[in-house]
Amino acid sequence: MKLITSDLNIDFVEIENQHRLAWQKLVEDGLNYEIKGSSGRVKLLYEEIYKYKRELLIGKPAALRLARRNIERVKSTLPAGDYERYNIRSKLQSIFNYSGLIESYLPHWGAYKLVQQLNVNSCVYCNRIFSFTLDKVDLARTFNKTKDKKVKRKILKDISSSKTRPELDHFYPKAKFPYLALALYNLVPSCHICNSSLKGSRNVDFDTLINPYEDDFDQIMKIKVKFRKEAEIQKDIDSGKLAGQVKDHFGYLLFVGKLESFDLKFERVNAADSIDNTKARNHIELYALNELYDIHKDHATRILKNAIRHGSGSARDIFARHGNLFHSEEETRSALLGTESNPDKINQFPLSKLAIDICSDFGI
């Protein structure tokens, strides 16, 4: 939901350095081996991949697009059937060994260390599900030091049963582009629903989707509360059942918990014809965000009832009255929301975008 690289507390230079040091020699050696053992256009393909070896590990999204485009161009010149005949996909999968990345335990560099340093605690595609990283670091250190194979097997079993991390979605799928399997900026921390159930191996134009390392969905789309039955709301206002100032925002049915009285809709912030809006619309459709957020209308109701009860500027007023309980107005707002209120930290807490957008709209 939020541009991953917008978090200024994350040292991406150090992450890139660790990632490159962990994989550079293995990738270079693997590609050199295939180059020496190949000829003709197959050799040209491996040489083209070798040319972009650095980008294929730590290249930013724009560099990855360029590398992918040029590698695919050379691949398209292969004689029919050569890609399968020479087992190029499986060889590239072995060279760009994603299994090695996900099987590396802390404190060594691998999937766990990566997502830990990225400090993302909710799915960056949907912002609906917690995705904490948990690993038995002490056991991992013991595993890496011991020489006893029986002890290693026992430790490995213990580690495997006591760990969790976000899934790493390949923005450009590794099945189609095996040379991008280890690309740092192609690995997106996500939940299982977004990664496997919704995106999976669907045939989509990935260049027209939100890339969380390049695009800030939060700055393109905002969640809006859209109330229904405006005529009935106006009738209640006219009869004195509702105060006039709630006309623009609150429906009477909201007070009695009728979720059918409103909808949650994503609305664009930028111009209608912008490329960003096209990406955002495709993102919403691919990850079924309208349908999934409709499930969370009860959460939106709780936020809205707080808005009605406390009124606009409530966080500021409560902080002024109870400064001994809170360190800042932002912390007060987070307490009212029951989630993170800082827009820069949307990736830290599930449904924080929903709460932040509603509160921004209603002046909480």
Side-chain angles (χ1 to χ4, degrees):
M1 281 286 170
K2 190 73 181 173
L3 181 69
I4 297 175
T5 53
S6 66
D7 190 339
L8 299 180
N9 294 316
I10 301 175
D11 189 348
F12 281 95
V13 173
E14 177 59 22
I15 291 174
E16 289 176 8
N17 187 51
Q18 292 185 73
H19 194 69
R20 180 182 57 80
L21 290 176
W23 296 105
Q24 179 174 286
K25 188 176 187 308
L26 294 171
V27 168
E28 287 181 354
D29 290 349
L31 289 173
N32 276 324
Y33 179 83
E34 295 302 332
I35 290 171
K36 291 176 182 178
S38 304
S39 61
R41 296 196 178 277
V42 172
K43 182 176 182 178
L44 290 177
L45 176 60
Y46 283 121
E47 288 177 337
E48 186 72 9
I49 295 172
Y50 188 88
K51 184 171 73 175
Y52 289 103
K53 61 185 183 298
R54 182 182 177 86
E55 288 81 358
L56 297 179
L57 288 179
I58 59 172
K60 301 293 196 301
L64 289 181
R65 276 196 300 275
L66 177 63
R68 177 179 61 93
R69 182 164 58 247
N70 288 335
I71 290 170
E72 290 299 304
R73 175 182 53 77
V74 175
K75 177 186 169 185
S76 69
T77 67
L78 291 175
D82 273 12
Y83 191 74
E84 293 75 20
R85 184 178 300 114
Y86 292 102
N87 298 315
I88 295 175
R89 177 181 285 106
S90 63
K91 290 177 179 178
L92 290 175
Q93 288 171 337
S94 178
I95 294 169
F96 295 89
N97 183 17
Y98 181 67
S99 295
L101 178 76
I102 63 175
E103 291 169 2
S104 297
Y105 298 110
L106 293 170
H108 290 289
W109 184 258
Y112 280 84
K113 194 71 174 288
L114 170 59
V115 294
Q116 183 187 59
Q117 293 199 18
L118 288 177
N119 194 31
V120 171
N121 292 325
S122 71
C123 176
V124 299
Y125 286 139
C126 70
N127 188 230
R128 296 174 49 253
I129 297 174
F130 269 123
S131 55
F132 287 118
T133 302
L134 174 65
D135 198 2
K136 291 190 173 181
V137 179
D138 291 337
L139 282 177
R141 287 174 176 154
T142 303
F143 173 86
N144 292 319
K145 290 178 180 179
T146 186
K147 303 297 184 183
D148 190 311
K149 291 184 179 180
K150 288 184 178 180
V151 174
K152 278 184 174 288
R153 282 197 295 270
K154 183 179 184 305
I155 294 175
L156 188 59
K157 182 178 180 181
D158 290 340
I159 292 176
S160 299
S161 62
S162 305
K163 59 182 175 45
T164 184
R165 62 167 174 79
E167 293 191 7
L168 286 174
D169 171 53
H170 287 82
F171 185 77
Y172 296 111
K174 64 182 184 298
K176 187 174 183 180
F177 310 105
Y179 49 83
L180 293 178
L182 292 177
L184 176 64
Y185 292 100
N186 194 42
L187 302 173
V188 181
S190 60
C191 68
H192 180 75
I193 293 174
C194 288
N195 182 26
S196 300
S197 301
L198 294 174
K199 183 183 179 186
S201 57
R202 286 179 60 180
N203 185 22
V204 297
D205 182 358
F206 298 97
D207 288 336
T208 62
L209 286 178
I210 292 290
N211 184 332
Y213 284 111
E214 186 177 39
D215 307 300
D216 196 335
F217 181 85
D218 180 53
Q219 296 301 311
I220 303 170
M221 288 285 180
K222 299 295 182 183
I223 302 173
K224 297 285 187 178
V225 175
K226 296 295 183 180
F227 288 98
R228 305 176 186 174
K229 304 180 181 178
E230 292 184 4
E232 292 186 16
I233 295 172
Q234 185 61 53
K235 181 179 178 182
D236 287 328
I237 292 173
D238 293 340
S239 64
K241 293 181 180 178
L242 289 178
Q245 63 264 28
V246 304
K247 175 181 178 181
D248 292 335
H249 293 311
F250 304 116
Y252 175 74
L253 292 178
L254 187 66
F255 285 88
V256 292
K258 297 291 186 180
L259 300 183
E260 65 271 18
S261 65
F262 70 94
D263 295 302
L264 297 175
K265 296 293 184 182
F266 286 87
E267 288 192 356
R268 63 179 180 265
V269 175
N270 301 322
D273 59 350
S274 72
I275 296 174
D276 284 347
N277 281 316
T278 299
K279 288 183 175 183
R281 285 195 300 271
N282 291 341
H283 181 92
I284 290 168
E285 180 180 358
L286 178 62
Y287 297 107
L289 294 186
N290 280 324
E291 294 79 5
L292 287 174
Y293 268 82
D294 196 58
I295 298 171
H296 297 295
K297 287 167 66 174
D298 56 342
H299 184 66
T301 297
R302 286 191 289 270
I303 297 170
L304 287 166
K305 286 183 177 180
N306 275 335
I308 295 171
R309 184 170 69 249
H310 296 294
S312 63
S314 55
R316 180 180 61 254
D317 296 338
I318 293 173
F319 177 61
R321 295 197 308 270
H322 302 286
N324 59 319
L325 294 178
F326 305 100
H327 293 95
S328 64
E329 183 179 327
E330 182 178 297
E331 183 186 351
T332 309
R333 186 174 294 105
S334 295
L336 289 176
L337 299 182
T339 187
E340 178 59 54
S341 67
N342 185 345
D344 292 333
K345 297 182 179 179
I346 282 176
N347 292 341
Q348 296 301 307
F349 297 91
L351 296 177
S352 56
K353 177 172 174 58
L354 173 62
I356 289 169
D357 285 355
I358 289 176
C359 287
S360 174
D361 198 21
F362 291 94
I364 301 177

